[in-house]
Amino acid sequence: MAGGIDLCSRGPTTALTLGRSRGGLSTKIHMVVRGLGCPVRFTLTAGQKGDAPQADALIEGLPAKVVMGDTAYDSDRLRAEIAGKGAVAVIPYNPSRAKKYPLDKDLYAQRHLIECCFSKLKQFRRVATRFEKTARNYQAVVTIAATVLWLR
């Protein structure tokens, strides 16, 4: 590490969790939300990173009867891990997938609580626009915003 930037990985943006795409620089927030829409745990990744690999660390050690996610979290490995916890995976399948899984549409309709949580987080200007350069500072801002959501 030189000056807080990991130069051993793929360039200096790795420690910043900034991803490059045609739309510019981006960061993803992967979050676990409890039943009432309050954030429980989150992680930051570069924008081009996959979603499904991040889910393992997020759901580890958390008790749940139902685990919901969007199509980006559709993987056999994640579904097996969720089933191993004794929970039901409510994740729509990717349209290009050969094996189709059934989807409980009534349970999936409750996923709006997750989207509402992200909407509330993005009402905090510093979360929505990411003024912070380093991942550590941006993570601190998201943590403070999530704490405020819990206190409301």
Side-chain angles (χ1 to χ4, degrees), residues 40-77:
V40 175
R41 188 182 286 172
F42 73 93
T43 186
L44 302 174
T45 61
Q48 78 274 10
K49 296 275 187 179
D51 291 348
Q54 314 310 319
D56 295 332
L58 288 174
I59 65 172
E60 183 180 333
L62 292 178
K65 294 179 183 174
V66 176
V67 177
M68 296 184 202
D70 62 5
T71 308
Y73 291 95
D74 181 28
S75 74
D76 290 331
R77 180 191 49 74

Side-chain angles (χ1 to χ4, degrees), residues 84-101:
K85 295 178 82 134
V88 176
V90 182
I91 303 170
Y93 56 83
N94 191 330
S96 62
R97 178 186 266 283
K99 183 178 181 183
K100 311 290 186 195
Y101 290 95

Side-chain angles (χ1 to χ4, degrees), residues 32-40 110 112-114 116-117 120 149-150 152:
V32 173
V33 177
R34 70 180 194 140
L36 297 175
C38 294
V40 175
Q110 297 302 312
H112 74 88
L113 293 169
I114 299 167
C116 289
C117 179
K120 290 175 189 173
L149 290 181
W150 265 93
R152 285 186 180 171

